[in-house]
Amino acid sequence: MGTRLLSEYLIKKHNPRLRYVRAFTSGKNEATLYAWNDNLELPDEDAAMLKRFATGYLPPYVCYQIKAYSKIQEDGVPQVDELPDPIVSTAMKRDLNQNGIVAAINSMLASGGMAFSRYDINTGILHFNVHTTSVVTEIERELIRKYLSEIIPLGYRSEIAYWCRS
């Protein structure tokens, strides 16, 4: 699986001329890679190099589009916030699967747990259920959504259903 963080790490490692890199799921099995070099530009040769790298070394089920880093704001790509160490270490695993995703989120839940529900092949959405013994606040839901988005594969989206057993 290739998460956003792992993809960005691999791009920077194999393309040292690219200083700023951001990967973003832009649709079902689609991702946009934003990049700039040290001169805050993306020359055609760097864009072509990045496209070749993505096609050859990043997850093959994803169709990659390459854009200049300056397009992030115009495209409405959310800012990257600080992430807890367990989420970062999970996102950097090359052998991450649905069990690892669920375990990472469950390690952060105080009461209850999350389970994988299903994958909708038509929409590319991974569905999860969170069962708790207390009501999950909006802030907690936003954190779960944000953390989950960092550890699911690039090119996928997720939906979470919440169930409270109080």
Side-chain angles (χ1 to χ4, degrees), residues 40-115:
L40 306 180
E41 53 192 22
L42 183 63
D44 290 342
E45 67 185 53
D46 286 345
M49 176 185 63
L50 181 53
K51 181 73 169 181
R52 281 190 306 276
F53 176 81
T55 303
Y57 294 97
L58 297 182
Y61 55 82
V62 178
C63 179
Y64 297 96
Q65 182 178 14
I66 311 300
K67 291 187 177 183
Y69 200 87
S70 58
K71 298 289 185 184
I72 284 180
Q73 191 170 21
E74 182 180 312
D75 290 353
V77 176
Q79 283 189 304
V80 177
D81 296 322
E82 285 291 316
L83 297 168
D85 289 339
I87 296 299
V88 173
S89 63
T90 299
M92 295 300 287
K93 292 180 181 176
R94 293 175 192 250
D95 62 346
L96 183 61
N97 60 25
Q98 70 188 36
N99 296 327
I101 292 169
V102 168
I105 297 295
N106 283 340
S107 72
M108 304 181 91
L109 292 174
S111 66
M114 184 176 84

Side-chain angles (χ1 to χ4, degrees), residues 104-166:
I105 297 295
N106 283 340
S107 72
M108 304 181 91
L109 292 174
S111 66
M114 184 176 84
F116 175 75
S117 173
R118 65 187 173 89
Y119 170 65
D120 185 333
I121 195 164
N122 295 316
T123 62
I125 295 176
L126 299 164
H127 293 266
F128 295 89
N129 293 327
V130 172
H131 295 272
T132 59
T133 55
S134 59
V135 175
V136 179
T137 67
E138 284 303 313
I139 293 171
E140 292 169 326
R141 287 177 186 228
E142 179 58 26
L143 285 174
I144 292 169
R145 185 206 58 75
K146 181 170 79 171
Y147 296 161
L148 184 59
S149 73
E150 293 292 351
I151 57 177
I152 63 171
L154 198 58
Y156 287 80
R157 297 179 193 261
S158 65
E159 287 189 8
I160 307 167
Y162 291 90
W163 308 90
C164 180
R165 298 171 276 163
S166 51

Side-chain angles (χ1 to χ4, degrees), residues 2-71:
T3 63
R4 175 190 72 81
L5 288 172
L6 181 57
S7 298
E8 290 174 3
Y9 168 78
L10 292 172
I11 291 168
K12 287 179 182 178
K13 181 179 177 185
H14 293 280
N15 300 283
R17 292 190 331 201
L18 299 177
R19 177 162 177 147
Y20 300 95
V21 174
R22 179 77 156 86
F24 180 70
T25 295
S26 48
K28 176 187 171 197
N29 295 330
E30 296 177 358
T32 303
L33 304 176
Y34 300 90
W36 265 350
N37 61 19
D38 282 330
N39 297 327
L40 306 180
E41 53 192 22
L42 183 63
D44 290 342
E45 67 185 53
D46 286 345
M49 176 185 63
L50 181 53
K51 181 73 169 181
R52 281 190 306 276
F53 176 81
T55 303
Y57 294 97
L58 297 182
Y61 55 82
V62 178
C63 179
Y64 297 96
Q65 182 178 14
I66 311 300
K67 291 187 177 183
Y69 200 87
S70 58
K71 298 289 185 184

